[in-house]
Amino acid sequence: MAESKRRGEDAGDERLDDDATVDGVADDDATDADEPASRGGTATRKRARADSTEGRKTRRDTERIGLFARIARFFREVVAELRKVIWPTRKELLTYTAVVVTFVAVMLAIVAGLDYGFAKAVLWVFGNPS
């Protein structure tokens, strides 16, 4: 897989090298005083910016799709994402549930203890009015 990505990048680099210019001057005309064109040079950015605007849909394109079609597309995408989820086994689910319930019970005890302690401290400082 890594090799196929590298081949795709190399093919794209060859395409850019054929048409690469720096500030309107071809690479052949560039002198030693000029900065050399790098991978992230201006020619690459201009081409990437032009390519990204061609594939972008305008607001009018999305308005042509009806409301029910957009809702149906949303649910199809939700189902597709849920298929990618790695669901826990029953044993893992019970373990995770026990951990969460135990953690919540401990935090509840800590908060209840602090609440009771602060309530007693406030009554001791300000006195009991009754």
Side-chain angles (χ1 to χ4, degrees), residues 19-73:
D19 299 333
T21 61
V22 177
D23 298 327
V25 178
D27 285 339
D28 301 339
D29 298 338
T31 62
D32 292 335
D34 293 328
E35 293 181 357
S38 64
R39 281 185 110 155
T42 56
T44 306
R45 288 187 198 144
K46 288 178 185 175
R47 181 178 301 266
R49 201 177 298 137
D51 290 343
S52 67
T53 56
E54 292 173 2
R56 190 179 306 158
K57 289 187 176 183
T58 61
R59 175 173 266 186
R60 277 183 262 133
D61 292 340
T62 57
E63 288 177 352
R64 292 178 189 157
I65 299 172
L67 175 66
F68 293 110
R70 287 185 292 189
I71 292 171
R73 179 180 172 196

Side-chain angles (χ1 to χ4, degrees), residues 77-89:
E77 290 178 4
V78 167
V79 169
E81 289 297 321
L82 286 175
R83 286 185 182 142
K84 297 177 187 177
V85 173
I86 299 172
W87 296 98
T89 63

Side-chain angles (χ1 to χ4, degrees), residues 104-115:
V104 169
V106 168
M107 293 305 295
L108 180 85
I110 291 171
V111 170
L114 288 173
D115 183 48

